[in-house]
Amino acid sequence: PRATHPVSPALSVLSDLLADGLRCRFYLELTDAGLTTDVIAYPELTRDPSLFLITAELAGDSTHEEVETKLLSVLSEVRQNGVTDKETQHAIARLNTQSAFSRDGSTTISESLTEAIAVGDWTLYHTWDDSIAKVTPADVKRVANQYLNTDQSTTGLFIPTNPPATEATAETTAASPPPKSKKPDKPTTTASPLILPKAPPIVTDQDTKISSNIRRTRTAGIDLLVCPTATKDAATIVCTIPLGPGKNPILPSFMAAMLEYGTTLKDVEELTDILDSTGAHMEFSIEDGALTAFARCLKKDLPTVISLLSEQLRLPLFHREDIQFLREQLISETTSGTTDTDVQAAVAFSREAFPQGHPNRQLSPDEALAAIKSIRRKDLVDFHKQWVGPAAATLVITGDVDPASCQTQVESAFKNWQGGQTPPPSPPAPKPTSPTQRIVTIPGKESVSIILGQPTGLTYRDPDSLPLAIATAALGQGFTSRLLSTVRDVEGLTYGIQAGLLGNTATDGSWQIIASFAPDSLTQGMSSIRRELEKWHTHGLTADELAYHQSALAGNHRLNLASSQNLALALSTTIRRGLNPEWLDQYPAKVAAVTLDQVNTSIRRLIDPANSIIIQAGSLPTDNKTPKNP
């Protein structure tokens, strides 16, 4: 039904209890049983009648038939026996907490209000939470019977028939200079000159300073930063702990995932019940070499979430059965990634750009599978003991919060926590001295993923980093950049192309151009990239380009900090970069101070197109002579 239909709130609750959280119906019956790696369900709430969508990603040796049968069995169980009051209340809590997050900052407020207008009733922005809160288990059962019937369903299956890329395919292709550009099959369009809007002046003396609103203390051994914002009811937590190298490169990400599988005090079901009953969200990941915990909750639940964060960081269970379950999940995900052209291009580039042992170097698919299979419980326990502690930890809390209360809560939750250390710096990757090309053949693909780039030797805080970032933005970030306005818009060779600096938070990173082309457009596409790169490298930016992209970077920076979630992430990243919080206030002035000479000098001094690393991953013209457009 349309979004304004009275049953839409019940359908939203139904989709949430089916597919959200570690205790939802689909997770317990499919993912926890090893049949899937993920299941998603949601109603498309639009102005007109639309679809209720369920998608499942198969794990391991699961068949499409058994997964579809199990999905339909779960739906049948809901239709026949309904759902519990606990499930319903947990779904309502999650949805209403998500709604509070959707009012965090001007951007999300405008998006939420615009969505309500788009579906036909702007008052839904104000009334939706109340409608969700009134949903009962009987309502959920009724809409399940009304809409989720198999004779009204359409099922689509994606069944791969080609072998994935292999280590041998990816690595035995000899390194060689990129071929000289052949004349394209059809003449390359002469690109029109860039037409840039007049850049608004950069505001460098804003009265309200973020840094002056931050309370920073050393609390329970942790670097604690608390910053209240105008957000109502919602709070965001970001905790980062830098990790050093392990004997197994997969250990950091494996350990991070295991933190969600229970503690010595609470099993995973108890942890999930606490999060679900409050609607809070918490996840652990590895970001730029650091263990990162990201959590969002309502203001009233902040003490509970801080306590839970402490327990999961300090007392992980590392249960052997959970380790084996996660191992199987990661094997499935890694195997699935071998047919993803973007993933394999990134892996191949990292292995050419960064030496053995560098944090930015990724494992080949075969290496990753072997590493996952070799992990044992003792490895996780030892790695956790060595690196996870307060010594190098940063904890950022933003939103509708009180700094003194947050400090008290953190002191109580993390009292007597010990351990942790600052990882040793890794030597920067050497600049390439000759051109390198790698081809990763993945049969049966409609597009080829391209990465052209090189290591920079720069971390974010290096003086050369900002001029190069501005120059790179002009080359390939946003619709006013050179690559998008020519290769994409004028020549129509690709839907996606961009340039950026990556992996430079705490270590030296890389400069990359990333694009995708249909196999029959690959030669012309590469020729166009080289043409634009040569012009950029030889002639640099114009004064108008510099002014426009300086204004854009400064404006995006300020807009990004308008939400407590983005502010927490920005603060955390700033500290990881070895900078002070004042840098967030100083950034617009620093951008405005960069000169045209600094930008163009950085291009010529730091980037060497003649010695680029070029990665092509997908079905190249030689193995797909007559590509078909969908």
Side-chain angles (χ1 to χ4, degrees):
R2 63 189 185 279
T4 54
H5 194 287
V7 303
S8 290
L11 279 170
S12 294
V13 172
L14 171 60
S15 68
D16 188 276
L17 64 84
L18 282 174
D20 196 353
L22 294 181
R23 307 304 297 170
C24 69
R25 295 287 182 108
F26 285 150
Y27 184 89
L28 292 175
E29 295 296 326
L30 288 111
T31 304
D32 197 41
L35 297 176
T36 59
T37 59
D38 194 20
V39 184
I40 301 170
Y42 61 96
E44 290 186 321
L45 299 178
T46 58
R47 178 182 289 268
D48 300 306
S50 190
L51 301 173
F52 190 102
L53 295 171
I54 301 170
T55 65
E57 296 179 2
L58 274 61
D61 297 325
S62 302
T63 66
H64 292 74
E65 291 76 16
E66 65 180 326
V67 170
E68 183 181 5
T69 298
K70 180 60 74 170
L71 284 172
L72 295 176
S73 173
V74 172
L75 298 182
S76 177
E77 171 67 20
V78 171
R79 289 199 306 271
Q80 293 178 23
N81 300 317
V83 298
T84 67
D85 184 67
K86 181 179 179 180
E87 284 180 294
T88 305
Q89 291 306 312
H90 283 183
I92 290 171
R94 284 191 295 265
L95 290 170
N96 281 342
T97 302
Q98 292 167 15
S99 182
F101 299 156
S102 73
R103 291 169 170 79
D104 179 13
S106 57
T107 300
T108 51
I109 290 174
S110 63
E111 288 173 349
S112 299
L113 183 55
T114 301
E115 282 297 312
I117 295 170
V119 301
D121 184 2
W122 71 270
T123 65
L124 287 175
Y125 177 80
H126 294 290
T127 62
W128 185 255
D129 289 357
D130 290 339
S131 299
I132 290 288
K134 293 175 182 176
V135 173
T136 66
D139 296 329
V140 174
K141 181 180 179 182
R142 184 175 64 254
V143 298
N145 278 283
Q146 185 174 358
Y147 294 103
L148 301 189
N149 295 298
T150 53
D151 61 354
Q152 296 171 276
S153 70
T154 300
T155 301
L157 309 178
F158 175 72
I159 305 173
T161 57
N162 293 292
T166 64
E167 171 72 7
T169 303
E171 292 298 309
T172 58
T173 304
S176 61
K180 294 181 179 180
S181 300
K182 296 187 298 183
K183 184 177 180 181
D185 297 332
K186 46 187 177 182
T188 302
T189 305
T190 301
S192 302
L194 282 172
I195 301 176
L196 297 172
K198 181 176 175 57
I202 298 175
V203 179
T204 59
D205 56 350
Q206 192 172 11
D207 292 335
T208 304
K209 302 293 186 182
I210 291 173
S211 57
S212 61
N213 203 34
I214 296 171
R215 179 169 177 173
R216 187 177 189 181
T217 59
R218 178 64 64 173
T219 302
I222 301 169
D223 187 7
L224 174 65
L225 296 89
V226 184
C227 185
T229 70
T231 299
K232 298 298 182 185
D233 297 325
T236 300
I237 301 172
V238 179
C239 179
T240 58
I241 302 174
L243 304 177
K247 63 179 182 180
N248 184 326
I250 293 291
L251 267 174
S253 56
F254 203 111
M255 182 200 68
M258 284 300 302
L259 298 183
E260 299 180 25
Y261 282 79
T263 72
T264 56
L265 302 179
K266 297 181 183 69
D267 62 24
V268 65
E269 183 172 352
E270 292 175 287
L271 290 177
T272 305
D273 277 346
I274 293 172
L275 292 173
D276 287 347
S277 64
T278 60
H281 169 79
M282 187 185 299
E283 63 183 34
F284 296 87
S285 61
I286 298 298
E287 304 289 342
D288 291 325
L291 171 63
T292 300
F294 175 82
R296 303 198 75 187
C297 64
L298 296 180
K299 175 183 180 180
K300 66 180 180 64
D301 300 313
L302 189 58
T304 299
V305 174
I306 290 175
S307 177
L308 205 59
L309 172 63
S310 171
E311 185 176 324
Q312 290 179 265
L313 286 173
R314 300 172 71 173
L315 303 171
L317 181 58
F318 296 137
H319 194 282
R320 284 184 171 83
E321 290 183 5
D322 294 329
I323 292 172
Q324 183 57 31
F325 173 77
L326 179 60
R327 190 194 321 277
E328 293 170 359
Q329 290 281 303
L330 292 178
I331 289 172
S332 294
E333 292 173 8
T334 302
T335 303
S336 175
T338 60
T339 61
D340 188 310
T341 59
D342 290 340
V343 170
Q344 292 310 311
V347 169
F349 179 86
S350 77
R351 295 172 66 77
E352 290 298 332
F354 299 103
Q356 197 82 29
H358 193 284
N360 287 338
R361 181 183 172 93
Q362 299 183 45
L363 298 178
S364 71
D366 285 350
E367 289 174 341
L369 289 171
I372 293 168
K373 293 174 182 177
S374 70
I375 287 178
R376 298 294 178 262
R377 184 178 187 276
K378 186 178 185 303
D379 301 329
L380 295 166
V381 171
D382 292 345
F383 188 78
H384 176 271
K385 182 178 180 180
Q386 181 181 6
W387 293 106
V388 181
T394 300
L395 180 60
V396 176
I397 306 175
T398 63
D400 190 359
V401 297
D402 174 68
S405 297
C406 289
Q407 185 177 357
T408 300
Q409 292 158 16
V410 171
E411 182 69 53
S412 174
F414 287 91
K415 185 178 180 180
N416 298 325
W417 193 23
Q418 302 292 326
Q421 58 181 301
T422 301
S426 59
K431 289 283 192 71
T433 57
S434 61
T436 302
Q437 179 169 308
R438 280 283 185 264
I439 295 175
V440 184
T441 302
I442 307 178
K445 294 296 179 179
E446 295 282 352
S447 64
V448 181
S449 293
I450 300 298
I451 298 180
L452 182 154
Q454 60 188 68
T456 64
L458 300 177
T459 64
Y460 188 91
R461 63 182 175 271
D462 285 323
D464 287 324
S465 180
L466 186 54
L468 184 60
I470 296 172
T472 303
L475 176 65
Q477 291 177 17
F479 290 107
T480 54
S481 66
R482 295 188 182 191
L483 290 172
L484 270 80
S485 63
T486 55
V487 182
R488 179 190 187 276
D489 294 345
V490 175
E491 298 173 345
L493 295 174
T494 179
Y495 183 78
I497 185 168
Q498 61 181 315
L501 301 176
L502 295 92
N504 61 353
T505 297
T507 62
D508 59 301
S510 60
W511 173 90
Q512 297 182 21
I513 295 174
I514 301 172
S516 63
F517 298 103
D520 57 353
S521 299
L522 178 60
T523 299
Q524 187 176 351
M526 291 302 300
S527 176
S528 294
I529 288 176
R530 290 191 181 97
R531 179 198 67 223
E532 294 303 318
L533 177 57
E534 183 63 28
K535 288 164 56 179
W536 176 78
H537 189 264
T538 301
H539 303 293
L541 273 58
T542 66
D544 286 344
E545 278 183 295
L546 173 63
Y548 178 83
H549 287 283
Q550 283 175 308
S551 177
L553 284 175
N556 286 336
H557 170 79
R558 185 157 285 142
L559 181 63
N560 188 52
L561 300 181
S563 79
S564 61
Q565 171 180 331
N566 290 340
L567 175 59
L569 292 168
L571 269 172
S572 178
T573 302
T574 298
I575 303 304
R576 281 272 292 138
R577 288 169 172 166
L579 301 166
N580 291 318
E582 288 78 13
W583 180 88
L584 292 174
D585 295 318
Q586 298 164 356
Y587 180 80
K590 290 182 180 295
V591 170
V594 175
T595 68
L596 187 62
D597 182 65
Q598 287 176 313
V599 167
N600 291 338
T601 298
S602 74
I603 295 173
R604 290 187 288 270
R605 185 161 52 85
L606 299 172
I607 303 302
D608 183 5
N611 291 322
S612 294
I613 298 167
I614 299 176
I615 306 297
Q616 300 177 352
S619 301
L620 304 189
T622 54
D623 59 290
N624 191 352
K625 296 180 181 179
T626 56
K628 298 179 181 179
N629 292 321

